[in-house]
Amino acid sequence: MDLLVHPCPSIQNEIEVPGDKSISHRSVLFSAIADGISEIQNFLPGADCLHTVNCVRQLGIEVEELSSDALRVHGKGLHGLSEPVDVLNVGNSGTTIRLLTGLLAGQDFYTVLTGDESIRRRPMGRVVKPLRQMGAAIWGRKDAQLAPLAIAGNPLRGMHHQIPVASAQLKSALLLAGLYADKETAVTEPAFSRDHTENMLQALGAKIQRSGRTAVIQPAPLLKAQKILVPGDISSAAFFLVAGAIVPGSKVTIKQVGINPTRTGILDALDMMGAHITISNRHTSAGEAIGDITIEHRDLHGIELGGDLVPRLIDEIPILAVAATAAEGQTIIRNAEELKIKESNRLQSTARELSRFGVKIQETQDGLIIEGGRGYTGTVCSSHGDHRIAMSCAIMALTAQGPTRIRNVECIDISFPGFADTLQRISGQGN
Ligand code: S3P
């Protein structure tokens, strides 16, 4: 399926975005191992999270769909999962396979995990290696660096991990394994990655202490079912925030968005570029900060970014590159090598697709260099099967001259079902 996008004069609108993908995954996984019935509101019914729901069902947990974005999970407690009779398929979802690997390593049964062609290329060794140090028995292609992964549940030893990358998926896998270990498990990361696992496990009753970049979890807690309200996804909001920032005369408000500080790097980066952002209606739900974000168009300027900011906007770099195309001067993004191992090689796919519009963009060893300017032309883009690349091209198309056709946009449903409709509504057009 293709998406046709025309340039648009200005955007004046108030919108909502679907529930946060990271928090939606965790809400189902953690409710499955909590005692009792959990109700989840504003769940993201995107393809990735629906794969998590299917996997949890195959592990013997009843999940009722109350509506398209509301679930009831009949949790069976820490030791209530049962051996699936078939392979678990995570589709395109790195979060599902990595978190499940940690969760299943300490069960007393056997599981096989696989996923689509992109998942079977992505590195699993970063999770498998430290889990094996805890005593996990995991097999897979290339000594379990690649899925499919086979996991024979084993007794696990609690230990202190110093992880080499700021990865919430890796940290979460180890903390989940820690629930089943013989003593406490600690994870120290080199920079802060998203902390939704710590927040939600704590809200369900797990004993987690946090001190700086270290999280320590005690085994065998009594996790209690809860009502979970999933905030809007800031990673989805980012597309319309950038649209508001770069289309002259625009003012866009996105309501009820998660503004956990480990996720708001995109707001910091846009602020550094000169964007005008305000946050109102701030409140907290189950340890997660939520607010309405308003952005108004301003002239932007190029920035240099890297270091600890990168994990706080790791999924937003393609759309940040789109903002940089509209900025005065050069934007340099460093320390973003993790982007090479996402759903696509996002340094390469961002550079390739934006250059089709006439953007001067260069892929470096660990990032991107973008020369801001104007006078871009509509074109034909490829999604590379990557939802965030498809949506970044669609927003880029709003400021180009003439129409843009984006090929193979089915992948957008992975994180943002309804994106094309929202785009159509706010810009008065669409596909
Ligand atoms: C996620 C963590 C990030 C992010 C991904 C979702 C999560 O990956 O890119 O989209 O839900 O934990 P890493 O932890 O591998 O950086």
Side-chain angles (χ1 to χ4, degrees):
M1 195 173 76
D2 292 356
L3 178 67
L4 188 63
V5 184
H6 296 272
C8 88
S10 82
I11 306 170
Q12 302 287 330
N13 237 308
E14 225 178 65
I15 59 168
E16 283 182 9
V17 290
D20 186 276
K21 181 154 81 72
S22 293
I23 298 177
S24 294
H25 283 300
R26 287 160 173 80
S27 68
V28 177
L29 286 173
F30 303 173
S31 295
I33 55 165
D35 265 305
I37 297 175
S38 298
E39 288 203 358
I40 305 168
Q41 301 294 334
N42 202 35
F43 178 80
L44 167 65
D48 268 13
C49 299
L50 294 177
H51 274 100
T52 296
V53 170
N54 282 338
C55 291
V56 159
R57 284 184 173 141
Q58 282 181 262
L59 288 160
I61 301 297
E62 186 188 349
V63 182
E64 290 177 74
E65 277 164 45
L66 304 177
S67 67
S68 66
D69 65 354
L71 300 179
R72 188 181 285 144
V73 181
H74 295 250
K76 290 190 178 168
L78 216 52
H79 298 283
L81 302 178
S82 51
E83 182 171 281
V85 294
D86 204 347
V87 172
L88 302 187
N89 188 343
V90 305
N92 191 245
S93 177
T95 304
T96 311
I97 195 165
R98 297 207 177 98
L99 268 58
L100 272 178
T101 302
L103 179 63
L104 296 172
Q107 307 293 329
D108 59 0
F109 56 75
Y110 180 79
T111 338
V112 181
L113 295 169
T114 193
D116 69 7
E117 174 264 334
S118 152
I119 276 292
R120 282 179 275 116
R121 269 190 278 115
R122 295 179 65 186
M124 298 299 145
R126 55 174 55 191
V127 178
V128 171
K129 197 172 153 208
L131 286 173
R132 279 179 173 165
Q133 287 166 0
M134 294 175 79
I138 305 175
W139 298 267
R141 292 185 300 134
K142 297 223 162 33
D143 194 22
Q145 286 178 58
L146 296 175
L149 298 178
I151 305 165
N154 242 1
L156 300 179
R157 294 181 291 275
M159 58 180 285
H160 191 157
H161 300 276
Q162 305 270 353
I163 61 176
V165 277
S167 160
Q169 293 178 354
L170 170 53
K171 173 178 62 175
S172 302
L174 298 174
L175 293 174
L176 288 170
L179 294 173
Y180 296 89
D182 60 348
K183 56 179 191 293
E184 71 177 30
T185 298
V187 184
T188 301
E189 48 185 350
F192 285 104
S193 68
R194 64 194 67 191
D195 62 355
H196 307 304
T197 293
E198 296 91 308
N199 291 343
M200 197 180 292
L201 284 177
Q202 206 155 20
L204 297 183
K207 291 200 184 84
I208 296 196
Q209 296 102 40
R210 292 190 256 184
S211 143
R213 288 175 283 96
T214 300
V216 185
I217 193 161
Q218 303 298 328
L222 234 191
L223 300 180
K224 271 199 69 173
Q226 303 275 332
K227 272 208 159 106
I228 300 172
L229 171 67
V230 180
D233 196 330
I234 192 164
S235 296
S236 297
F239 297 103
F240 294 109
L241 290 173
V242 169
I246 65 175
V247 177
S250 297
K251 180 174 179 183
V252 179
T253 296
I254 308 173
K255 302 193 65 114
Q256 301 279 341
V257 182
I259 48 170
N260 175 322
T262 63
R263 295 286 298 282
T264 48
I266 182 69
L267 302 184
D268 296 353
L270 288 171
D271 182 64
M272 283 156 66
M273 294 175 96
H276 186 264
I277 300 174
T278 47
I279 300 182
S280 56
N281 292 332
R282 287 175 188 265
H283 59 282
T284 304
S285 173
E288 294 290 347
I290 301 174
D292 298 348
I293 309 174
T294 300
I295 194 157
E296 288 173 61
H297 172 262
R298 292 283 188 278
D299 289 335
L300 302 180
H301 52 80
I303 55 169
E304 292 192 22
L305 70 89
D308 289 0
L309 183 55
V310 172
R312 295 180 52 240
L313 47 64
I314 191 72
D315 292 334
E316 284 67 77
I317 288 177
I319 190 62
L320 186 63
V322 172
T325 68
E328 174 86 33
Q330 200 175 56
T331 292
I332 304 178
I333 301 170
R334 299 192 179 87
N335 312 123
E337 48 279 275
E338 278 287 299
L339 261 72
K340 295 181 186 169
I341 53 167
K342 294 292 179 189
E343 286 84 328
S344 67
N345 175 341
R346 286 186 176 157
L347 295 182
Q348 194 180 70
S349 42
T350 302
R352 276 206 192 146
E353 297 313 311
L354 294 188
S355 65
R356 293 188 205 276
F357 291 89
V359 175
K360 290 201 186 97
I361 178 166
Q362 189 194 329
E363 187 190 341
T364 64
Q365 280 278 322
D366 67 345
L368 294 167
I369 301 175
I370 305 123
E371 302 289 340
R374 55 190 76 216
Y376 303 119
T377 324
T379 183
V380 177
C381 291
S382 157
S383 70
H384 298 248
D386 184 331
H387 50 133
R388 301 205 196 278
I389 298 300
M391 292 185 275
S392 298
C393 291
I395 300 303
M396 181 70 205
L398 296 176
T399 60
Q401 293 228 324
T404 294
R405 181 173 294 280
I406 304 147
R407 300 235 185 259
N408 299 325
V409 294
E410 295 81 358
C411 54
I412 290 176
D413 279 353
I414 284 172
S415 64
F416 199 157
F419 172 80
D421 291 342
T422 305
L423 184 67
Q424 184 164 28
R425 191 158 62 77
I426 70 161
S427 61
Q429 38 112 25
N431 52 341

